[in-house]
Amino acid sequence: MPGWQTVLIVAALVAAAFVLAAAWRLWRDPYALIRAEFARERMAAGLARRVVDVDGLRWVYAEGQARDADAPVLVMLHGFTGSKENWYPVARRLRGRYRLLLPDLPGWGESTREGVAGHGFAAQAARVAAFIRATCDRPVVLLGHSMGGGIAAVLAAREPGLVARVGLFNAAGVRFADNQFGLDVLAGGNPFGVHDHASLAHYLDILFHDRRALPALPWPAPAILIAQRRRDAAFEQTVLDEIGRGPEQFLPGDEAARIRQPALLAWGAHDKVIDPSAMDLYAAAIPQAVKVLLDGSGHMTVMEQPDAIVDAIEGLLAAAPFEQGAHA
């Protein structure tokens, strides 16, 4: 019995030490809890975490390998206040069928923020082009959500040799019909700003129409997230000044008329951020684009209806090349 008692005491001490170590780590780095959840979701989607230096910038991205070495490469760009994790529900459903690259754009997520000059559509499109050259050996299928959609439109127009096909999901970059979000941005505010529990709830309400798709935020995740968003407030305001109120705010829509590749436009019918009228404005510039309007979905279509998004992506991949002379 004394032997078993000793074992139990040692086990209890080890468990206590583990709890204390975890508590100490969270005290030093509270966001580690959220990163751990992101890592769990990444592994569930069959993705590996990668890091690459491109032109002096540190890119962190998730990568999924294809079973077929000749499979298309899909690059997925997130939106404003987002990160690569927004695309995980879609990536999980595409697992093994394509090579998947989900980067944190410079300034966002785990990628470099310090020393990055400008976060407008043109600057970020040029950086994504450099990222693609550094990580891909063939033209890619470029998919962009929200701000990432605006970046994707600019890049597809300016670098057709890098982008074989393009998908824009709830994409920013055109003068859509007035809604409260757009009016608040034009007035100089940040309707996505988070500084307390009420503003966090408001932020999620703007993003999601289908409440079942809301990310789980068990205690103490909300407080950790709120603290992080407070620290990011000045950066977010700077980016909004560039993409929402500056000279480049409608650059993606202007550049879209030069897109010749097969294209996809997908929107949530209940989008409170980028009004669905934006889809028709993009379609007028990209006549070859297939339009998909998702009822029951808001701005976060890639999280709210990932099955429908995957079906739309498969349609894009199956589309015949657009005839050059058919574009006005």
Side-chain angles (χ1 to χ4, degrees), residues 11 104 110 143:
D104 282 329
E110 299 180 89
L143 310 174

Side-chain angles (χ1 to χ4, degrees), residues 195-210:
H195 52 84
D196 57 17
H197 286 274
S199 55
L200 175 60
H202 177 67
Y203 167 70
L204 294 174
D205 181 66
I206 294 174
L207 288 176
F208 291 87
H209 177 76
D210 187 346

Side-chain angles (χ1 to χ4, degrees), residues 212-238:
R212 295 170 298 178
L214 282 168
L217 291 174
W219 182 92
I224 295 169
L225 183 59
I226 290 166
Q228 180 65 44
R229 294 296 303 283
R230 283 174 178 167
R231 289 190 290 271
D232 288 344
F235 171 73
E236 291 177 10
Q237 196 71 32
T238 297

